[in-house]
């Protein structure tokens, strides 16, 4: 990661900017392989039945990842087709705060994943983790919503002041988003990733429909309202 960042700083190249995460992930993967016990570094050759079994186990995770990506990013692409680039930039600037919040939620969910795995399908373990997530997410979301103008000026400058109302709506969605991240890990721990994939796929379709309906009249605010509505509905679906 440090070497990639140094290359980006020195070369100022978009190619290296895109390649740096690839090299970082490859280095991390190599380190993990070296840390494996010797028997696991030299496993037996897998047969066709093993490969088929692995593919069946991985399919819900792959579908879930695709659905999650569409749910998280397709609204920006559709907004770019419907509104001027300047408005897309305002929405993207406000959404950076969502990206940071999502990254933090992923770290927290990863930290509690062993406990979720031990709990399995026990709803009490997931409920307790959800309460803790809300305990942290709700005050942060409220602070961001109330301080949206100051946050935008601090992060992007006064020229992005029009992004503040968009951030206000997106901030309200953060507790639901954090719960949805946790729910994905909880369902994975309980071997119910197919349900998460289906829920995210339905949420992506709903979000795109709402964006198409709201953005022509309301612009970036319409996209933010679509994101808020789908995150709330997704949380209800995942925790039902």
């Amino acid at each position: 990661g440090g070497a990639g960042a140094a290359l980006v700083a020195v070369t100022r190249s978009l190619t290296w900017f895109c390649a740096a995460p690839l090299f970082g992930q490859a280095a991390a993967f190599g380190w993990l392989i070296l840390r494996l016990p010797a028997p696991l570094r030299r496993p037996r050759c897998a047969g066709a039945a093993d490969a088929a079994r692995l593919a069946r186990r991985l399919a819900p995770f792959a579908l879930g990842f695709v659905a999650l990506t569409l749910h998280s990013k397709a609204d920006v692409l559709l907004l770019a087709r419907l509104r001027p680039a300047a408005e897309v930039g305002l929405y993207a600037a406000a959404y950076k705060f969502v990206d940071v919040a999502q990254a933090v939620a992923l770290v927290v969910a990863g930290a509690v994943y062993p406990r979720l795995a031990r709990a399995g399908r026990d709803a009490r373990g997931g409920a307790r983790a959800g309460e803790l997530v809300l305990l942290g997410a709700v005050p942060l979301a409220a602070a961001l919503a109330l301080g949206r103008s100051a946050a935008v000026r601090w992060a992007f400058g006064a020229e992005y002041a029009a992004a503040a109302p968009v951030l206000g709506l997106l901030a309200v969605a953060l507790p639901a988003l954090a719960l949805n991240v946790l729910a994905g890990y909880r369902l994975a721990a309980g071997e119910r990733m197919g349900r998460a994939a289906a829920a995210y796929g339905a949420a992506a379709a709903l979000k795109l429909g709402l964006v198409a309906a709201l953005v022509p009249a309301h612009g970036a605010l319409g996209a933010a309202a679509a994101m808020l509505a789908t995150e709330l509905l997704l949380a209800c679906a995942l925790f039902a």
Side-chain angles (χ1 to χ4, degrees):
L7 284 170
V8 170
V10 171
T11 64
R12 306 288 180 177
S13 168
L14 181 60
T15 301
W16 277 112
F17 178 79
C18 296
L22 175 62
F23 287 116
Q25 292 293 335
F29 181 72
W31 183 83
L32 289 173
I33 293 296
L34 290 175
R35 298 289 295 176
L36 283 174
L40 295 179
R41 289 203 301 269
R42 300 179 183 86
R44 65 177 179 85
C45 293
D50 293 325
R53 185 163 54 251
L54 179 62
R56 287 195 299 270
R57 297 293 295 271
L58 287 178
F61 290 88
L63 292 173
F65 178 78
V66 172
L68 173 60
T69 302
L70 288 173
H71 172 68
S72 300
K73 301 301 181 185
D75 55 338
V76 179
L77 298 177
L78 185 55
L79 180 64
R81 297 288 299 272
L82 299 174
R83 304 294 288 191
E87 192 157 3
V88 178
L90 293 176
Y91 184 76
Y95 208 92
K96 292 299 181 185
F97 293 93
V98 177
D99 289 335
V100 172
Q102 188 171 26
V104 173
L106 286 168
V107 171
V108 173
V112 301
Y113 183 76
R115 176 171 295 184
L116 296 175
R118 287 194 297 271
R121 293 175 180 266
D122 186 355
R124 290 174 297 178
R128 178 59 176 165
E131 291 171 0
L132 294 175
V133 165
L134 286 177
L135 189 62
V138 169
L140 290 175
L144 186 59
L146 293 174
R148 57 190 179 273
S149 297
V152 168
R153 285 197 305 270
W154 172 78
F156 302 106
E159 59 270 24
Y160 280 86
V166 178
L167 178 57
L169 276 179
L170 293 177
V172 177
L174 294 184
L177 182 145
L179 280 179
N180 293 336
V181 171
L182 176 68
Y185 277 75
R186 175 176 168 238
L187 291 172
E191 298 185 355
R192 293 177 291 170
M193 197 60 195
R195 176 180 170 183
Y200 270 106
L206 175 62
K207 189 177 187 181
L208 288 175
L210 289 175
V211 169
L214 296 174
V215 162
H218 303 285
L221 276 174
M227 189 267 190
L228 171 59
T230 52
E231 290 295 341
L232 291 173
L233 291 173
L234 181 61
C236 293
L238 291 176
F239 278 90

